[in-house]
Amino acid sequence: MASSSSSMEGGVENDYTQDGTVDLKGNPVRRSKRGGWKACSFVVVYEVFERMAYYGISTNLVIYLTKKLHQGTVKSSNNVTNWVGTIWMTPILGAYIADAHLGRYWTFVAASAIYLSGMSLLTLAVSLPSLRPPHCTDPDPNNCPKASTLQLGIFFGALYTLAVGTGGTKPNISTIGADQFDDFEPREKAHKLSFFNWWMFSIFFGTLFANTVLVYIQDNVGWSIGYGLPTAGLLVSIVIFLAGTPFYRHRVPGGSPFTRMARVIVAAGRKWKVDVPGDPKQLYELDLAEYAKGGKFRIDSTPTLRFLNKAAVQTGSDDGPWMLCPVTQVEETKQMLRMIPILVATFIPSTMIAQINTLFVKQGTTLHRQIGSFHIPPASLTGFVTLSMLISVVLYDRFLVPLVRKWTKNPRGITLLQRMGIGIVFHIVIMLVASLTERHRLSEARKHGVSIFVLLPQFVLMGTADAFLEVAKIEFFYDQAPESMKSLGTSYSTTSLGIGNFISSFLLSTISDVTKRHGHKGWILNNLNASHLDYYYAFFSVLNFLNLGFFLVVIRFYVYKAEVSDSMHVLAEELKENARLREPSSNE
């Protein structure tokens, strides 16, 4: 009986997670009760509806701005990219609040309420005739009545309220999902490796619905219903997310990541003349028990960014938190700083993504869009980005990864940086194809109508590029961030998209202005048939090629962080063992 009781106690003890996750009251959690794919299902349902809401607005926003608010090509495109840029930049603030104060769950809940209020106000703004200028049929928006300051204030106020809400939801929802898998349990670690692939696969169902059904409703039924449906869907998804609360695992906030990083940089700077000892054991570090109490992990010192190790050198003087930092804090700072060059290399591809909902859609308005009595909404072509990505993610996860890892013995098949590099190469090809397609469109547009499906290759290729670059980017910044800064790490991927949109606004305005000088017509005009988007896309292709060179340089110096558990090692060894067992015996 005693041995049986001991066995039962050992089984219960082994059932508890080892990664520091707790319930909302701070109690340790058991794997059999919380987390895993069951908890993720509630999170994924929310993301499906949230993506439906976001893309239901962003995909067709340039059309609403030109047709309903009567803005020109450059102004409407820049308003879209500035708003989308803000959408993707605010997650830095949301990540800070989550990691430093409220935790991911409560930050997400509060931000969801703000998000919903922004969506509701936006639906009201497109529904009431008094909140938009009178209808105008003139194809030149310069000849139409402009929206009043009040009308613009309410519309853009709603858009940017929505952006604030996104800042709290976006960096935390995928992180909450990934937190449901224990890094210290090999089977759960294996599930986590596929999580981001299936995460993207699931949420793009919402995107596909927005890019097809919602876009059609907005163009042919009405903007009120077209915005009202995703608002209602967002409300339902928040309720579903809250219903999953009893099944979630949570991480305790680890304090402000910005303060911890600043202390390391300041301490190292103040001791810039101090020599770093050759033996890392002489550097200042807390006891393991201190980290265990907070469910955190100790990190060994590394030789990279060696200057920052000065922050952990004990000088015997006033060793306050801004003068002396433990090795783990130094290494956390290094991990966040090491990722910055990789982050910079993703800005240009993010600028290419910004073209989907602006110039790509505007091109569609100039083409033949009728099939019988059915008129294809220009923005619906973005659905092919989604379809292409869905298919590519499944093929990658189910066929390419198992095939490649037979040779690489890497549980992921290829490294995350290799996957990102393939995506960057795709962006070079995409802009070359877009440039040649636009040249063909311009030559044919002067003779007769061209089908909208001529744009299909650039949309399909963009989805394939996303399956490599965007999925790997999210996983890379989550995986390589310290355990206590996962939300901040995830916000790196959204920051990339934000800065990419701002770069798009800058380039569009600058090139539009520069190419009009000295009596030239310019590359980007309200009339795209008189423009030269083919030159603009060719310029982007060159920009992507230069960015690929930069990316190849920075990855040569990147050092992956050490795993906090041996789960990846266990998985790699299992792959090697399986490969060995499949080899024919030499005696046969």
Side-chain angles (χ1 to χ4, degrees), residues 197-270:
N197 286 334
W198 291 104
W199 168 258
M200 296 296 285
F201 178 84
S202 300
I203 65 175
F204 270 83
F205 276 113
T207 306
L208 184 62
F209 182 84
N211 292 342
T212 53
V213 177
L214 287 182
V215 163
Y216 178 81
I217 290 173
Q218 289 165 2
D219 280 9
N220 297 280
V221 179
W223 292 92
S224 300
I225 298 176
Y227 279 24
L229 284 175
T231 301
L234 183 64
L235 174 61
V236 171
S237 70
I238 293 171
V239 172
I240 292 174
F241 174 84
L242 294 175
T245 300
F247 303 104
Y248 300 144
R249 302 173 186 173
H250 305 277
R251 289 195 182 276
V252 179
S256 168
F258 297 114
T259 302
R260 295 207 305 278
M261 291 168 64
R263 284 174 174 170
V264 170
I265 295 169
V266 170
R270 293 172 70 180

Side-chain angles (χ1 to χ4, degrees), residues 77-87 160 501-502 505-506:
S77 296
N78 282 348
N79 275 331
V80 171
T81 50
N82 287 338
W83 173 69
V84 172
T86 304
I87 282 270
Y160 282 91
N501 275 273
F502 288 128
S505 295
F506 170 76

Side-chain angles (χ1 to χ4, degrees), residues 361-372:
V361 171
K362 286 289 290 183
Q363 280 178 281
T365 63
T366 68
L367 298 170
H368 182 70
R369 299 184 282 119
Q370 191 167 346
I371 301 179

Side-chain angles (χ1 to χ4, degrees), residues 136-147:
C136 178
T137 57
D138 194 310
D140 187 351
N142 292 325
N143 298 328
C144 294
K146 301 301 180 185

Side-chain angles (χ1 to χ4, degrees), residues 47-191:
E47 189 69 0
V48 169
F49 281 96
E50 190 277 331
R51 291 293 85 186
M52 182 182 75
Y54 168 69
Y55 283 104
I57 305 301
S58 65
T59 301
N60 224 14
L61 183 57
V62 72
I63 302 297
Y64 186 87
L65 293 177
T66 51
K67 289 189 173 181
K68 298 298 182 180
L69 297 186
H70 311 146
Q71 297 183 348
T73 298
V74 173
K75 186 173 183 179
S76 61
S77 296
N78 282 348
N79 275 331
V80 171
T81 50
N82 287 338
W83 173 69
V84 172
T86 304
I87 282 270
W88 293 118
M89 290 296 288
T90 52
I92 297 176
L93 177 61
Y96 164 75
I97 294 172
D99 283 341
H101 302 291
L102 298 182
R104 291 159 195 165
Y105 177 86
W106 290 115
T107 302
F108 174 86
V109 170
S112 295
I114 299 172
Y115 195 162
L116 185 61
S117 66
M119 285 291 297
S120 302
L121 181 59
L122 194 61
T123 303
L124 192 66
V126 302
S127 302
L128 298 180
S130 60
L131 295 180
R132 59 178 183 269
H135 180 67
C136 178
T137 57
D138 194 310
D140 187 351
N142 292 325
N143 298 328
C144 294
K146 301 301 180 185
S148 69
T149 302
L150 177 64
Q151 291 168 341
L152 291 174
I154 292 175
F155 184 80
F156 284 103
L159 280 178
Y160 282 91
T161 299
L162 188 157
V164 172
T166 305
T169 61
K170 199 60 193 166
N172 292 306
I173 187 65
S174 59
T175 313
I176 290 172
D179 285 346
Q180 306 312 308
F181 301 100
D182 187 351
D183 280 330
F184 287 84
E185 208 284 316
R187 185 172 298 155
E188 289 200 10
K189 180 69 174 181
H191 290 161

Side-chain angles (χ1 to χ4, degrees), residues 393-443:
V393 165
V394 173
L395 292 176
Y396 181 87
D397 194 67
R398 290 302 180 190
F399 297 101
L400 185 61
V401 170
L403 182 67
V404 172
R405 68 185 176 196
K406 289 179 181 178
W407 287 277
T408 64
K409 303 300 183 290
N410 184 329
R412 288 190 173 95
I414 57 177
T415 68
L416 293 173
L417 290 176
Q418 287 170 338
R419 185 173 179 179
M420 290 169 68
I422 293 171
I424 291 174
V425 171
F426 263 104
H427 278 288
I428 299 173
V429 177
I430 290 166
M431 285 304 149
L432 278 174
V433 170
S435 178
L436 294 173
T437 300
E438 177 62 8
R439 177 165 293 190
H440 170 72
R441 187 194 71 80
L442 287 173
S443 64

